[in-house]
């Protein structure tokens, strides 16, 4: 019985070949996703520890309001981009047309709401949630450019999987984690911390977008398509 159980638990030769062929996913994509999940609530936890519960509440409301368009509209664009990028990569060795079309759509969808937040977030938050939450609008004003870049970059991140660049994705997540810790550990006021975080994160997103476009242009040297089909 023990021998049978061991044989059942061990991967078959076909399964081992599959794991080897797609090793970038479990070597790099899995830890990258875990790290990304840890980074999400990290600013809120660090703000609460350093600046208190009130500051954490303001930041939490800001995050919730700004993240809504990303989770709804950007996710829909990403579903279309996933299909098109894989198809184009298979047929022509690059997914530049899909990347450029998705980027244009995301720019058009995100520009006006982001500009509105940048110009008038404090009174909008005061009108929607009450005068005590005007301070959350001030944080939203600081974070508006970052969430605009996040709105564009999140759907386009699938290029890293299509092109087999999961290792680069992991390195970027590590840089983001280190930057977040450094910013909120610094002796700054709440607004200074949020501004430094938004600036650092935005610079990383610009690098991220540049890399994703570059990887959308050509197949990897071995000529393999890495995305799950």
């Amino acid at each position: 019985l023990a021998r049978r159980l061991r044989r059942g638990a061990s991967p078959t030769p076909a399964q081992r070949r599959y794991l080897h062929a797609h090793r970038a996913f479990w070597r790099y994509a899995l830890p990258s996703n875990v790290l990304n999940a840890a980074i999400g609530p990290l600013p809120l936890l660090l703000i609460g520890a350093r600046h208190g519960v009130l500051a954490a509440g303001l930041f939490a409301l800001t995050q919730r309001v700004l993240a809504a368009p990303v989770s709804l509209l950007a996710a829909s664009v990403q579903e279309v981009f996933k299909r098109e990028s894989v198809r184009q990569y298979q047929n022509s060795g690059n997914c530049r047309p899909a990347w450029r079309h998705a980027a244009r759509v995301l720019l058009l969808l995100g520009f006006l709401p982001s500009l509105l937040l940048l110009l008038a977030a404090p009174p909008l938050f005061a009108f929607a949630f009450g005068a005590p939450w005007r301070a959350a609008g001030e944080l939203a004003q600081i974070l508006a450019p970052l969430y605009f870049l996040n709105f564009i970059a999140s759907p386009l991140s699938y290029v890293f999987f299509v092109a087999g660049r999961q290792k680069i994705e992991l390195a970027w997540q590590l840089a983001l984690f280190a930057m977040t810790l450094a910013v909120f550990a610094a002796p700054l006021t709440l607004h200074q911390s949020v501004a430094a975080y938004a600036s650092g994160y935005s610079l990383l997103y610009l690098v991220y977008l540049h890399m994703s476009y570059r990887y959308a242009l050509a197949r990897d040297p071995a000529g393999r398509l890495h995305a799950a089909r």
Side-chain angles (χ1 to χ4, degrees):
L1 178 61
R3 283 197 299 272
R4 287 181 182 176
L5 288 173
R6 280 197 297 271
R7 282 198 299 270
S10 301
T12 65
Q15 289 171 334
R16 284 197 293 270
R17 286 193 298 271
Y18 182 85
L19 288 171
H20 179 75
H22 298 276
R23 59 192 178 277
F25 283 92
W26 53 266
R27 279 186 180 176
Y28 305 119
L30 180 59
S32 177
N33 289 336
V34 171
L35 192 58
N36 180 259
I39 291 170
L42 187 60
L44 182 60
L45 295 174
L46 294 173
I47 286 173
R50 187 169 185 85
H51 299 286
V53 176
L54 177 59
L58 293 173
F59 189 80
L61 177 64
T62 304
Q63 269 192 321
R64 207 156 41 240
V65 171
L66 296 185
V70 177
S71 60
L72 295 174
L73 293 176
S76 301
V77 175
Q78 186 180 47
E79 287 305 310
V80 177
F81 177 67
K82 281 181 180 181
R83 293 193 298 272
E84 283 300 303
S85 61
V86 171
R87 184 185 63 79
Q88 291 178 17
Y89 219 86
Q90 282 181 306
N91 294 339
S92 61
N94 74 82
C95 59
R96 179 185 176 186
W99 193 100
R100 296 186 70 173
H101 178 71
R104 282 196 296 268
V105 170
L106 291 164
L107 279 167
L108 290 172
L109 288 174
F111 179 73
L112 285 178
S114 300
L115 183 63
L116 183 62
L117 284 171
L118 186 64
L119 296 176
L124 285 175
F125 270 65
F127 174 77
F129 305 107
W133 294 101
R134 184 184 179 90
E138 294 171 3
L139 297 182
Q141 202 168 30
I142 296 170
L143 291 168
L146 168 60
Y147 274 82
F148 176 59
L149 289 172
N150 174 256
F151 182 76
I152 298 170
S154 292
L156 299 175
S157 65
Y158 195 68
V159 168
F160 287 85
F161 295 93
V162 176
R165 303 291 181 168
Q166 293 92 336
K167 189 175 182 179
I168 303 297
E169 165 83 6
L170 176 58
W172 187 86
Q173 293 288 351
L174 288 169
L176 174 59
F177 184 77
M179 183 278 297
T180 304
L181 283 178
V183 163
F184 288 105
L188 302 171
T189 65
L190 174 62
H191 283 70
Q192 288 172 338
S193 295
V194 173
Y197 171 70
S199 300
Y201 207 158
S202 296
L203 287 173
L204 285 171
Y205 262 138
L206 291 174
V207 173
Y208 194 80
L209 284 167
H210 171 73
M211 290 191 298
S212 71
Y213 182 67
R214 198 179 89 189
Y215 297 145
L217 294 180
R219 194 183 294 271
D220 80 303
R224 292 186 300 269
L225 179 68
H226 294 262
R229 295 190 284 272

